[in-house]
Amino acid sequence: MTIRSKRKEEHLQLAQKFYQKEKMNSFDQVHVIRPALPETEVDLATIKTTMFGKKVAAPFFINAMTGGSAKSYIVNKALGQVARRTNIALALGSASILNKEPEQLDSFLIAREENPDGVLIANINGKTLPEQAQKIITELNADALQVHLNAVQEIAMPEGERNFYWLDNLKDLRQKITVPIIIKEVGFGLDPKTICTLKKAGFNLFDVAGSGGTNFAQIENARNPKDLSYLNDIGLPTVASALAAAKQQVEFIVSGGVRNPLDVFKGLCLGGKYVGISNQFLQMLLNHDEEYLQKTIVNWEQELASLLAIYGQHSLSSLSKIPKYYDLELKNIIEQI
């Protein structure tokens, strides 16, 4: 096993080790006001939407997790099957490993083979060259491309990058890649300045990926002989990052600590176009099986439609207009960033 593949498998193991099903986060500090007289009914049609030109059953999806090792092949095979059966989108983990280890392609390609017609999103790092990125997109027949920004993770990673001059390459990607590009954090939140800078550079879709879920500083610190645990708490909460994106008037995905259908609903109410779930779904798969994950996603679809009904909503497009308020601790962060 190569160093890169070993790291991929360690990430899966440590994500499982540090997973907390009921971990408190910023979603708990958001309160959506519900009408006592909703005048609605539960209808699964209210949550159907389109994603990159394809119809999907719900606005939430399986967000980026893994690829590039023997175990990730098994995981992505199962996730591809679940995505096909539930008709939701699937984003793969970073495929940048393929630039140096093309033999790992099968661990990514298996997801497309299991879900040939569904929405599949490829993922690369910010230094991947356009020709490399296009090759990955073509090989996976990807509908969109996530480009992750993970400076904190790289610093905490013992073998990580130390050069974060990414903007020129991002601009080059924007000019040469034809599929939609999603700029994504990895659990530390996109800040207003970065969103503004990238908006001016022509990017219009972001995944805020705030703190509150998987903590890659904690994961990498567990692999690092040095103690960099002080990095564990430097992330921007998911809700604050989502509201920062909303202020910039860009389209954005809410992810980072999504635990249940109510968190999905709140993410949509914050203005998110879609909501991504990673470790929550991964642990359902690892601790149970793909059938359990599939049933859970089907239940989430039903429960999300139920939430729209009890909040008096007939479509996804109106959710951002629902009145809401925030706990003082979160409100203070929102007002200062």
Short mmCIF file of all heavy atoms in Angstrom, two decimals, residues 23 148-150 152-153 184-190 207-217 231-238 241 255-257:
data_model
loop_
_atom_site.label_atom_id
_atom_site.label_comp_id
_atom_site.label_asym_id
_atom_site.label_seq_id
_atom_site.Cartn_x
_atom_site.Cartn_y
_atom_site.Cartn_z
N LYS A 23 -23.40 15.14 18.25
CA LYS A 23 -22.52 16.27 18.52
C LYS A 23 -23.24 17.60 18.32
O LYS A 23 -23.86 17.84 17.29
CB LYS A 23 -21.31 16.18 17.57
CG LYS A 23 -20.28 17.28 17.75
CD LYS A 23 -19.15 17.08 16.75
CE LYS A 23 -18.09 18.17 16.88
NZ LYS A 23 -17.01 17.96 15.88
N HIS A 148 -11.52 21.43 -3.55
CA HIS A 148 -11.51 21.67 -2.11
C HIS A 148 -10.34 22.55 -1.68
O HIS A 148 -9.24 22.46 -2.22
CB HIS A 148 -11.52 20.34 -1.33
CG HIS A 148 -10.31 19.49 -1.51
ND1 HIS A 148 -10.27 18.43 -2.39
CD2 HIS A 148 -9.09 19.52 -0.92
CE1 HIS A 148 -9.09 17.84 -2.33
NE2 HIS A 148 -8.34 18.49 -1.44
N LEU A 149 -10.63 23.40 -0.72
CA LEU A 149 -9.63 24.27 -0.09
C LEU A 149 -9.41 23.74 1.32
O LEU A 149 -10.31 23.80 2.15
CB LEU A 149 -10.14 25.72 -0.06
CG LEU A 149 -10.66 26.30 -1.38
CD1 LEU A 149 -11.10 27.74 -1.18
CD2 LEU A 149 -9.60 26.20 -2.48
N ASN A 150 -8.21 23.25 1.60
CA ASN A 150 -8.00 22.52 2.86
C ASN A 150 -6.69 22.88 3.54
O ASN A 150 -5.95 22.01 4.00
CB ASN A 150 -8.05 21.01 2.60
CG ASN A 150 -6.90 20.52 1.72
OD1 ASN A 150 -6.36 21.27 0.92
ND2 ASN A 150 -6.52 19.25 1.89
N VAL A 152 -5.94 24.19 6.43
CA VAL A 152 -5.79 23.76 7.82
C VAL A 152 -5.47 22.28 7.88
O VAL A 152 -4.57 21.85 8.63
CB VAL A 152 -7.07 24.07 8.63
CG1 VAL A 152 -6.92 23.57 10.07
CG2 VAL A 152 -7.36 25.56 8.63
N GLN A 153 -6.17 21.49 7.11
CA GLN A 153 -5.89 20.05 7.08
C GLN A 153 -4.46 19.78 6.64
O GLN A 153 -3.78 18.93 7.22
CB GLN A 153 -6.86 19.33 6.14
CG GLN A 153 -6.61 17.83 6.07
CD GLN A 153 -7.41 17.13 4.99
OE1 GLN A 153 -8.05 17.77 4.17
NE2 GLN A 153 -7.37 15.80 4.99
N LYS A 184 -15.13 24.28 -2.45
CA LYS A 184 -15.54 23.61 -1.23
C LYS A 184 -14.47 23.68 -0.14
O LYS A 184 -13.29 23.42 -0.40
CB LYS A 184 -15.85 22.13 -1.53
CG LYS A 184 -16.34 21.32 -0.34
CD LYS A 184 -16.45 19.84 -0.72
CE LYS A 184 -17.09 19.03 0.39
NZ LYS A 184 -16.36 19.11 1.67
N GLU A 185 -14.88 24.00 1.07
CA GLU A 185 -14.01 23.83 2.22
C GLU A 185 -14.12 22.38 2.68
O GLU A 185 -14.85 21.59 2.08
CB GLU A 185 -14.41 24.79 3.34
CG GLU A 185 -13.30 25.76 3.79
CD GLU A 185 -12.16 25.11 4.56
OE1 GLU A 185 -12.30 23.96 4.97
OE2 GLU A 185 -11.13 25.78 4.77
N VAL A 186 -13.38 22.01 3.73
CA VAL A 186 -13.42 20.62 4.20
C VAL A 186 -13.75 20.52 5.69
O VAL A 186 -13.35 19.58 6.36
CB VAL A 186 -12.08 19.90 3.90
CG1 VAL A 186 -11.80 19.87 2.41
CG2 VAL A 186 -10.92 20.53 4.66
N GLY A 187 -14.50 21.50 6.19
CA GLY A 187 -14.93 21.42 7.58
C GLY A 187 -14.46 22.59 8.44
O GLY A 187 -14.64 22.57 9.66
N PHE A 188 -13.90 23.63 7.80
CA PHE A 188 -13.46 24.81 8.55
C PHE A 188 -14.17 26.07 8.09
O PHE A 188 -13.91 27.15 8.59
CB PHE A 188 -11.94 24.97 8.43
CG PHE A 188 -11.18 23.77 8.93
CD1 PHE A 188 -10.77 22.79 8.05
CD2 PHE A 188 -10.94 23.59 10.27
CE1 PHE A 188 -10.09 21.67 8.49
CE2 PHE A 188 -10.27 22.47 10.74
CZ PHE A 188 -9.85 21.51 9.85
N GLY A 189 -15.08 25.95 7.14
CA GLY A 189 -15.94 27.05 6.74
C GLY A 189 -15.33 28.02 5.75
O GLY A 189 -14.16 28.40 5.88
N LEU A 190 -16.11 28.40 4.75
CA LEU A 190 -15.69 29.46 3.83
C LEU A 190 -15.99 30.82 4.44
O LEU A 190 -17.10 31.07 4.89
CB LEU A 190 -16.42 29.32 2.49
CG LEU A 190 -15.98 28.16 1.59
CD1 LEU A 190 -16.88 28.10 0.36
CD2 LEU A 190 -14.52 28.30 1.18
N ASP A 207 -19.51 25.35 -1.61
CA ASP A 207 -19.92 24.45 -0.53
C ASP A 207 -19.24 24.96 0.73
O ASP A 207 -18.02 24.83 0.88
CB ASP A 207 -19.50 23.01 -0.84
CG ASP A 207 -20.01 22.00 0.18
OD1 ASP A 207 -20.29 22.41 1.32
OD2 ASP A 207 -20.10 20.80 -0.15
N VAL A 208 -20.01 25.53 1.65
CA VAL A 208 -19.41 26.25 2.78
C VAL A 208 -18.69 25.31 3.73
O VAL A 208 -17.71 25.70 4.38
CB VAL A 208 -20.47 27.07 3.55
CG1 VAL A 208 -21.13 28.09 2.63
CG2 VAL A 208 -21.52 26.18 4.22
N ALA A 209 -19.14 24.05 3.87
CA ALA A 209 -18.45 23.02 4.66
C ALA A 209 -17.87 23.58 5.95
O ALA A 209 -16.66 23.56 6.15
CB ALA A 209 -17.38 22.33 3.81
N GLY A 210 -18.74 24.05 6.83
CA GLY A 210 -18.30 24.67 8.07
C GLY A 210 -17.98 23.69 9.17
O GLY A 210 -18.11 22.46 9.01
N SER A 211 -17.55 24.22 10.30
CA SER A 211 -17.21 23.37 11.43
C SER A 211 -18.47 22.89 12.13
O SER A 211 -19.51 23.54 12.10
CB SER A 211 -16.32 24.13 12.42
OG SER A 211 -17.04 25.20 13.00
N GLY A 212 -18.35 21.73 12.77
CA GLY A 212 -19.50 21.16 13.47
C GLY A 212 -19.68 19.69 13.17
O GLY A 212 -20.46 19.00 13.82
N GLY A 213 -18.94 19.21 12.17
CA GLY A 213 -19.00 17.79 11.82
C GLY A 213 -17.62 17.18 11.89
O GLY A 213 -16.90 17.35 12.87
N THR A 214 -17.21 16.49 10.82
CA THR A 214 -15.88 15.89 10.79
C THR A 214 -14.81 16.97 10.89
O THR A 214 -14.87 17.98 10.19
CB THR A 214 -15.69 15.10 9.48
OG1 THR A 214 -16.74 14.15 9.35
CG2 THR A 214 -14.35 14.38 9.47
N ASN A 215 -13.84 16.74 11.76
CA ASN A 215 -12.78 17.71 12.00
C ASN A 215 -11.47 17.14 11.47
O ASN A 215 -10.85 16.28 12.09
CB ASN A 215 -12.68 18.01 13.50
CG ASN A 215 -11.73 19.16 13.80
OD1 ASN A 215 -10.72 19.33 13.14
ND2 ASN A 215 -12.07 19.93 14.82
N PHE A 216 -11.03 17.64 10.30
CA PHE A 216 -9.83 17.08 9.69
C PHE A 216 -8.55 17.53 10.38
O PHE A 216 -7.49 16.91 10.19
CB PHE A 216 -9.80 17.39 8.20
CG PHE A 216 -10.51 16.35 7.38
CD1 PHE A 216 -11.80 16.56 6.93
CD2 PHE A 216 -9.90 15.14 7.10
CE1 PHE A 216 -12.47 15.59 6.19
CE2 PHE A 216 -10.56 14.16 6.37
CZ PHE A 216 -11.84 14.38 5.91
N ALA A 217 -8.61 18.59 11.17
CA ALA A 217 -7.44 18.92 12.00
C ALA A 217 -7.27 17.85 13.07
O ALA A 217 -6.16 17.38 13.33
CB ALA A 217 -7.62 20.29 12.63
N LEU A 231 -5.29 23.51 16.50
CA LEU A 231 -5.96 23.79 15.23
C LEU A 231 -7.40 23.28 15.20
O LEU A 231 -8.16 23.64 14.30
CB LEU A 231 -5.19 23.15 14.07
CG LEU A 231 -3.79 23.70 13.78
CD1 LEU A 231 -3.12 22.85 12.70
CD2 LEU A 231 -3.85 25.15 13.36
N ASN A 232 -7.75 22.45 16.17
CA ASN A 232 -9.06 21.77 16.11
C ASN A 232 -10.24 22.73 16.16
O ASN A 232 -11.32 22.39 15.67
CB ASN A 232 -9.18 20.77 17.26
CG ASN A 232 -8.24 19.59 17.12
OD1 ASN A 232 -7.48 19.49 16.16
ND2 ASN A 232 -8.28 18.68 18.07
N ASP A 233 -10.07 23.88 16.75
CA ASP A 233 -11.22 24.77 17.01
C ASP A 233 -11.18 26.07 16.23
O ASP A 233 -11.84 27.04 16.62
CB ASP A 233 -11.29 25.08 18.52
CG ASP A 233 -11.47 23.83 19.36
OD1 ASP A 233 -12.24 22.96 18.94
OD2 ASP A 233 -10.84 23.74 20.43
N ILE A 234 -10.45 26.11 15.11
CA ILE A 234 -10.33 27.39 14.41
C ILE A 234 -11.33 27.55 13.26
O ILE A 234 -11.28 28.52 12.53
CB ILE A 234 -8.90 27.61 13.88
CG1 ILE A 234 -8.56 26.62 12.76
CG2 ILE A 234 -7.88 27.50 15.00
CD1 ILE A 234 -7.22 26.93 12.10
N GLY A 235 -12.24 26.61 13.12
CA GLY A 235 -13.19 26.67 12.01
C GLY A 235 -14.31 27.67 12.22
O GLY A 235 -14.65 28.05 13.35
N LEU A 236 -14.91 28.09 11.12
CA LEU A 236 -16.08 28.96 11.12
C LEU A 236 -17.32 28.08 11.13
O LEU A 236 -17.46 27.19 10.30
CB LEU A 236 -16.07 29.85 9.88
CG LEU A 236 -17.09 30.99 9.80
CD1 LEU A 236 -16.84 32.02 10.90
CD2 LEU A 236 -17.00 31.66 8.42
N PRO A 237 -18.25 28.30 12.09
CA PRO A 237 -19.45 27.45 12.15
C PRO A 237 -20.21 27.42 10.84
O PRO A 237 -20.29 28.42 10.11
CB PRO A 237 -20.27 28.10 13.26
CG PRO A 237 -19.28 28.84 14.11
CD PRO A 237 -18.23 29.31 13.16
N THR A 238 -20.80 26.29 10.55
CA THR A 238 -21.51 26.09 9.29
C THR A 238 -22.56 27.16 9.05
O THR A 238 -22.66 27.73 7.95
CB THR A 238 -22.17 24.70 9.28
OG1 THR A 238 -21.15 23.70 9.33
CG2 THR A 238 -23.01 24.49 8.03
N SER A 241 -21.02 30.53 8.17
CA SER A 241 -20.46 30.50 6.82
C SER A 241 -21.56 30.52 5.76
O SER A 241 -21.43 31.17 4.73
CB SER A 241 -19.59 29.25 6.66
OG SER A 241 -18.85 29.30 5.46
N SER A 255 -23.03 22.36 4.17
CA SER A 255 -22.54 21.08 4.71
C SER A 255 -21.65 21.38 5.90
O SER A 255 -21.19 22.50 6.08
CB SER A 255 -21.79 20.28 3.64
OG SER A 255 -20.55 20.89 3.34
N GLY A 256 -21.43 20.33 6.69
CA GLY A 256 -20.62 20.47 7.89
C GLY A 256 -21.44 20.23 9.14
O GLY A 256 -22.03 21.15 9.69
N GLY A 257 -21.53 18.96 9.54
CA GLY A 257 -22.25 18.63 10.77
C GLY A 257 -23.72 18.35 10.61
O GLY A 257 -24.47 18.37 11.59
#
